[in-house]
Amino acid sequence: MTTLYPWLTPTYQQITQTFSQGRGHHALLFKAEMGVGVEQLIDAVAKFLICTESEKPCGHCHACQLSQAGNHPDVHLLAPIENKDISVDQVREINEIVNQHAQQGGNKIVWVQGAERLTEAAANAILKTLEEPRPNSYFLLQADLASPLMATIYSRCQMWLVNVPETALAEQWLQTQTNEKIEEISTALRICYQRPLSALTFLQQGLMEKRREFLRQFWVFYVRRSPLELLPLFEKELIFHQIDWLLAFLTDALKDKLGVQENWICQDLARGVQQFNQKQTMLGLLQTNQIVQNMRLDLIQINAVNQEIILLDGLTKLITEVFEQ
């Protein structure tokens, strides 16, 4: 078996035990946040189901070898193409495959990535197959934790929630993956909302110092009341991370204003938060948070060509509507 992230192993063992006891469900729905590695869990379950030996997964049988090579003819992927929603035609194609005999004579697996991206017609089409499952056919549906799905799909699946791991376990794992100090690891986990894989990427890409420099420059922008002090630091590839860093700083400022000292994301910048807060009012902090939230929403919804205009407008509003008061 492929070595799993330690926080996934208990869930894998529970799932495979139900199948070993003859109680496995034909449709498993995995709901998880990004950055916890749920793809690795689903891949491991698929390898377990496709193995033809009694001790699964053996890693040696023909089915396992095909699966490991990524070309098993009875393992199928249903996913968004070119970032478009999953269409009814894609589902119909999968349904036709499921209705046929397995080419290798064993189980058939359909991995549905981004199940929340099924169109209404596609969801209804796959629902019919889930309601009348074919023998030896298994659907593994993967969906974002916060995204809604049709209640009827929920009712036809066995759901598995994959939550972020306990902080101690995540920190322990990250210490085996990086040479960073525990203080930096803890900060990265807080910034990435306890998602260990996201935290590892954050550390490996050197984003800790970029974040600190960005927030230092936010202070310069605040003092000088000039958008040009911050605007050039926004990077196209990091823009949503940078907005989130700023929102975390402002949220901690609100907590500080309320006297809440627990669960700060920017604990490493506590002095900066408190210094910024000296001249802020509760209403001003709420307005600042709202303006930055609106910037983020506009950046998601409006064509990327207008990014600089959106940022300039938001930074200007901070100066004219909040900081100049």
Side-chain angles (χ1 to χ4, degrees):
M1 186 188 81
T2 304
T3 302
L4 285 167
Y5 299 124
W7 55 90
L8 298 178
T9 301
T11 304
Y12 173 82
Q13 291 174 339
Q14 290 178 54
I15 293 171
T16 54
Q17 185 177 19
T18 62
F19 279 99
S20 297
Q21 295 172 346
R23 298 183 291 107
H25 202 279
H26 71 280
L28 306 181
L29 172 59
F30 298 84
K31 297 211 75 177
E33 296 188 43
M34 291 179 60
V36 299
V38 69
E39 297 83 1
Q40 189 190 71
L41 173 62
I42 298 173
D43 182 65
V45 172
K47 285 181 168 62
F48 175 90
L49 291 172
I50 211 66
C51 178
T52 57
E53 298 298 316
S54 57
E55 293 294 327
K56 305 174 183 289
C58 70
H60 306 297
C61 69
H62 186 55
C64 282
Q65 291 176 349
L66 287 173
S67 180
Q68 289 166 1
N71 57 9
H72 196 296
D74 296 317
V75 178
H76 307 281
L77 178 65
L78 179 61
I81 299 174
E82 297 180 350
N83 203 31
K84 296 178 182 177
D85 287 344
I86 300 173
S87 70
V88 66
D89 289 336
Q90 288 176 263
V91 174
R92 286 170 179 162
E93 183 178 343
I94 285 293
N95 286 345
E96 288 182 14
I97 293 172
V98 170
N99 285 328
Q100 298 168 6
H101 291 292
Q103 293 187 36
Q104 294 294 310
N107 291 330
K108 289 170 288 183
I109 311 294
V110 178
W111 182 348
V112 185
Q113 287 184 348
E116 73 276 5
R117 299 288 301 276
L118 290 160
T119 64
E120 184 176 356
N124 285 323
I126 204 170
L127 179 61
K128 292 179 181 178
T129 303
L130 297 179
E131 289 174 335
E132 301 175 2
R134 301 290 296 173
N136 304 112
S137 296
Y138 298 95
F139 280 77
L140 309 178
L141 293 85
Q142 174 186 348
D144 182 77
L145 185 63
S147 299
L149 287 174
M150 289 174 55
T152 45
I153 288 183
Y154 274 112
S155 67
R156 298 300 184 272
C157 297
Q158 182 184 75
M159 188 170 69
W160 294 87
L161 290 177
V162 184
N163 295 310
V164 296
E166 295 290 333
T167 299
L169 179 59
E171 289 179 346
Q172 183 180 13
W173 179 79
L174 282 166
Q175 284 180 296
T176 68
Q177 305 297 312
T178 177
N179 294 323
E180 297 287 348
K181 297 178 180 178
I182 186 61
E183 293 81 9
E184 296 289 89
I185 287 174
S186 298
T187 298
L189 271 174
R190 289 195 304 273
I191 294 166
C192 298
Y193 299 95
Q194 304 303 312
R195 302 166 184 171
L197 301 187
S198 299
L200 180 60
T201 300
F202 182 86
L203 292 167
Q204 290 176 335
Q205 293 182 350
L207 296 183
M208 187 72 76
E209 187 51 41
K210 282 200 171 189
R211 164 184 166 268
R212 287 173 179 153
E213 176 56 31
F214 179 80
L215 292 175
R216 279 193 291 265
Q217 203 61 28
F218 170 73
W219 174 258
V220 176
F221 153 77
Y222 165 69
V223 170
R224 297 182 180 176
R225 308 293 200 265
S226 171
L228 296 180
E229 297 292 347
L230 188 60
L231 191 61
L233 266 70
F234 282 99
E235 300 180 31
K236 185 176 181 180
E237 295 77 13
L238 294 177
I239 192 165
F240 289 105
H241 290 298
Q242 291 171 314
I243 294 286
D244 289 342
W245 298 341
L246 183 53
L247 284 169
F249 183 90
L250 295 170
T251 299
D252 285 346
L254 272 170
K255 291 177 183 176
D256 182 56
K257 187 64 69 175
L258 291 168
V260 177
Q261 301 302 317
E262 296 82 24
N263 300 318
W264 282 31
I265 294 175
C266 300
Q267 290 179 20
D268 58 319
L269 302 175
R271 288 182 60 186
V273 170
Q274 293 162 352
Q275 187 177 4
F276 171 74
N277 240 2
Q278 288 177 0
K279 295 185 178 181
Q280 307 307 313
T281 65
M282 180 63 70
L283 178 60
L285 287 171
L286 290 170
Q287 286 179 296
T288 302
N289 268 277
Q290 188 61 59
I291 290 170
V292 178
Q293 289 278 12
N294 289 341
M295 284 170 56
R296 195 185 198 286
L297 185 61
D298 288 343
L299 287 166
I300 293 173
Q301 295 179 339
I302 300 176
N303 193 297
V305 174
N306 299 313
Q307 277 190 351
E308 188 169 333
I309 296 173
I310 293 169
L311 293 170
L312 181 60
D313 179 63
L315 295 176
T316 302
K317 283 181 179 177
L318 288 178
I319 293 170
T320 59
E321 297 181 14
V322 185
F323 297 157
E324 287 294 345
Q325 294 180 10

